């Protein structure tokens, strides 16, 4: 079953035919929202709203461990996360991208299931943080449906919740990042620890600080407008991708 993690602008998946909701607990606490089970393009899907149904949980307070654990426990075989980002280089606001690499600048987040104590010491391979085959299915779905999707990108995960300085964005660019967001980690790493195939659909909602029309400041009004447009494309992509993903990850 495909699991979808909805980010800002996607707290509800209006294209999902809802069958039922389930409030769950995990050994790591409560996930961000009740799990919503239903059908998308005829395929079974479980959905969680990363920031809660009312968008009340900021990125650094999301219980990433509970979210991923709950999805796996509910029978997820693959996870597609939707996340809004700022474009640093080569990504225009309003467009979609499928990052293939990431840089982790987050700190102070519960970022592993292998936390010592009575757990085993485990080091998972993370060379390719986004599952290539799952990314391929998303990219193929976008091509088939004529949805504009850039199939590469380097995601820089930052703590937030404040946005970056222009100098911080310069540094991220020097490090090789092409986009910046606040929720990509530890989410991707935890999915890997649970051996859940994971891909992210990045919705570029603004030029990053100091870039393009954000040269002087990032306009929140513009950001929210672009977010709404971008999420419409993301929803369409999820609908086209669901049958392909269901076939590959039954
Ligand atoms: N920076 C960090 N996270 C973001 C941005 C940004 O510019 N836009 C959307 N999420």
């Amino acid at each position: 079953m495909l699991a979808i993690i909805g980010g800002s602008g996607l707290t509800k998946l209006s294209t999902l035919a809802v069958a039922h909701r389930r409030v769950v607990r995990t050994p790591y606490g409560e996930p961000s929202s009740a799990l919503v089970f239903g059908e998308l393009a005829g395929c079974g899907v479980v959905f969680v709203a990363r920031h809660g149904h009312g968008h009340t949980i900021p990125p650094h307070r999301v219980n990433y461990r509970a979210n991923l654990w709950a999805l796996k426990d509910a029978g997820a075989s693959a996870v597609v996360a939707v996340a809004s980002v700022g474009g640093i280089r080569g990504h225009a606001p309003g467009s979609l991208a499928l990052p293939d690499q990431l840089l982790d600048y987050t700190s102070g987040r519960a970022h592993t299931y292998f936390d010592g104590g009575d757990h085993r010491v485990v080091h998972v391979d993370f060379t390719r943080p986004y599952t290539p085959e799952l990314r391929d299915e998303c990219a193929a779905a976008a091509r088939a449906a004529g949805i504009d999707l850039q199939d590469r990108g380097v995601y820089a995960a930052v703590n937030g919740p404040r946005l970056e300085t222009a100098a911080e964005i310069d540094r991220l660019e020097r490090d090789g990042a092409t986009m910046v967001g606040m929720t990509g980690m530890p989410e991707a790493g935890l999915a890997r620890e649970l051996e859940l195939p994971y891909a992210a659909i990045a919705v570029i909602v603004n030029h990053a600080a100091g870039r393009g029309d954000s040269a002087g400041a990032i306009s929140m009004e513009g950001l929210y407008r672009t977010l709404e447009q971008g999420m419409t494309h993301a929803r369409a992509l999820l609908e086209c991708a669901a049958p392909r993903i269901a076939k590959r990850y039954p």
Side-chain angles (χ1 to χ4, degrees):
M1 175 174 50
L2 168 63
I4 297 172
I5 302 178
S8 299
L10 199 73
T11 51
K12 275 199 298 266
L13 195 57
S14 51
T15 39
L16 185 71
V18 176
H20 62 281
R21 290 182 169 75
R22 196 190 300 161
V23 176
V24 300
R25 285 193 65 84
T26 78
Y28 303 94
E30 283 178 24
S32 299
S33 73
L35 302 185
V36 182
F37 294 83
E39 285 204 346
L40 185 63
C43 307
V45 161
V46 55
F47 177 85
V48 68
R50 186 189 288 116
H51 300 287
H53 282 307
H55 202 273
T56 51
I57 309 170
H60 60 290
R61 292 212 174 271
V62 170
N63 190 339
Y64 296 94
R65 290 197 297 187
N67 287 352
L68 272 301
W69 187 275
L71 293 174
K72 171 113 183 177
D73 198 48
S77 53
V79 178
V80 175
V82 180
S84 62
V85 300
I88 298 176
R89 183 168 49 81
H91 303 293
S95 66
L96 303 182
L98 266 185
D100 62 321
Q101 274 299 332
L102 67 77
L103 296 163
D104 185 10
Y105 300 90
T106 63
S107 59
R109 300 180 177 191
H111 65 286
T112 181
Y113 295 108
F114 301 119
D115 213 9
D118 56 354
H119 300 280
R120 293 168 298 141
V121 175
V122 177
H123 306 285
V124 294
D125 174 69
F126 206 39
T127 310
R128 292 164 184 259
Y130 302 99
T131 308
E133 296 79 10
L134 182 55
R135 294 180 61 259
D136 288 348
E137 295 300 344
C138 295
R143 275 196 301 276
I147 296 168
D148 193 19
L149 174 78
Q150 209 168 349
D151 67 357
R152 299 190 61 171
V154 180
Y155 181 111
V158 297
N159 255 7
R162 70 160 173 82
L163 294 161
E164 298 71 40
T165 67
E168 285 171 336
I169 294 298
D170 290 343
R171 174 171 78 121
L172 297 185
E173 182 168 7
R174 284 195 299 276
D175 285 355
T178 65
M179 64 182 84
V180 56
M182 299 178 190
T183 57
M185 283 295 283
E187 199 170 86
L190 292 167
R192 181 60 51 85
E193 286 189 350
L194 292 178
E195 299 181 355
L196 273 172
Y198 177 93
I201 298 171
V203 180
I204 294 87
V205 296
N206 59 284
H207 282 115
R211 299 287 192 276
D213 61 4
S214 302
I218 294 176
S219 153
M220 288 301 142
E221 203 183 298
L223 188 154
Y224 286 114
R225 213 177 317 118
T226 313
L227 179 67
E228 226 165 274
Q229 290 165 11
M231 287 304 160
T232 306
H233 300 307
R235 264 188 222 102
L237 176 54
L238 287 169
E239 211 167 343
C240 305
R244 288 174 181 270
I245 296 169
K247 216 175 199 181
R248 199 186 267 254
Y249 299 99

